[in-house]
Amino acid sequence: MDLQIYKYYDGNGGATILISLAIILFAGFAFSKIAKLLKLPNVTGYIIAGIIIGPYVLDLVPHNIISNMSFLSDLALGFIAFGVGKSFKKEVIKASGMKVIIITLLEALLAGVLVSISIYIIFPNMGLSFALLLGGIATATAPASTMMTIKQYKAKGEFVDILLQVVALDDVVCLLAFSIITAVIEATNQGNLNVLEIVLPIIYNLGFMLIGLISGLILPYLIKNRSSNSKMIMCVCFICLISGCASLLDVSPLLSCMIFGASYINKTKDKELFNQIDDFDPPIMLAFFVISGMNMDLSSFLTIGMIGLVYFIIRILGKYLGAYLGCKIVKVEKKTTRYLGFGLIPQAGVAIGLAFLGQRMLPNSIGDTFLSVILCSSVLYEMIGPVSSKFALIKSGAIDLESVKLANVKEVENKQKQSDKLEQVQVSENKIN
């Protein structure tokens, strides 16, 4: 059902952009409410909204608008990374020691290696670059749904401490691995692989990490004694500047923005600014994920289905085995060893952002397939992620069944209270009438 409504407002300059943006925001909002009713993460609703209003279904937004909004991926990544940086406090890093680092390296890298090998062997026609990039993204884990589940059931203990630190460090490993992979692919595509072409992107990333560190150290002085709005404006300015400069050199802004957030929190202990950014960025994140869905290539769905299925299963297997081996090596308790891998299944924000970077490095049709594989699998991961996390938390003893029952009872009670209030309002209105 291709409506092509955009024909009625396309070609009107700023009006076209504003109407397109309104459609994107409204669709994301509407489908997030549907996702909430189905107890799915908002990001799932956003991606599905993008698919529905995108060129392969209703086709409501001009195609040139979709392609010209690619800058949102870099900006969204900057906000995501800044928020992740809040988790890297000095005291947390000191407490974790090498234990968490070993677990993180094994669960991330084993998943990446298994995915790359499997995809290259089963689908050799897609090329080595395709397999390596998929493997690089397979290392990432999205912490949001896991953290929401932990918060919902007030889970505590060693299992929770290790899980939170692993999902925070996971993206660092992913970014480093992806940076090295992209450097090798760029050099190989040019037909002249040498040390400089591999080292140069790494130097760029290190340089932007330094920029992020310096930014986090000087921001407190720039916003000292300023209003809360001024603080937020300056922080957004830094995130945009870092992301824009990184884009000029085709460098991901994730590492630098993450270190920006980490250096700021360690310098000031100020969580308020992070809360303000969380309140500021929802429209940006919504638009980013909706546009991600609009970019999904449904025309190659059969190919995506086979590749996506292999990617989906092998990544879960790699995450579980890597976490299991890591826990065995550092000798954590048995329950953590058995169930940690189930808390590492979700994949969304960082993976989708990197998928756009990877798409640019591949031939058009293969690049579209690559992006669609990540988007489709991300929806599935975000659907089963909260369920698997809840299972792991219960089995590990971090929460008990009584807590789950209590949470369900409270949810029912809240719904009943809302229903009672609605009935009271209706009775009052009837009396007035």
Side-chain angles (χ1 to χ4, degrees), residues 16 35 46 65 67 69-70 96 100 112 125 149-150 154 194 213 220 267 314 329 334 364 370:
T16 300
Y46 298 156
I65 296 293
S67 60
M69 282 192 174
S70 59
S96 63
V100 171
N125 58 310
T149 306
I150 290 170
K154 296 180 173 60
N194 59 56
L213 175 64
K267 176 73 175 176
I314 298 298
I329 291 171
K334 287 184 179 180
N364 289 338
F370 175 82

Side-chain angles (χ1 to χ4, degrees), residues 178-200:
F178 196 82
S179 297
I180 294 171
I181 289 169
T182 53
V184 172
I185 290 174
E186 285 176 353
T188 304
N189 289 341
Q190 293 171 6
N192 183 24
L193 182 62
N194 59 56
V195 175
L196 182 61
E197 288 168 331
I198 297 175
V199 171
L200 200 56

Side-chain angles (χ1 to χ4, degrees), residues 4 30 60 66 68 80 83 87 100 112 137 176 201 205 213 242 266 286 290 301 321 348 359 368 413 421:
Q4 293 189 349
L60 303 185
I66 300 173
N68 288 330
I80 291 171
S87 304
V100 171
I137 290 180
L176 291 172
N205 275 285
L213 175 64
I242 292 171
N266 283 292
L286 183 154
V290 171
F301 188 77
L321 289 177
Q359 181 193 29
D368 291 341
E413 288 177 349
K421 286 181 180 179

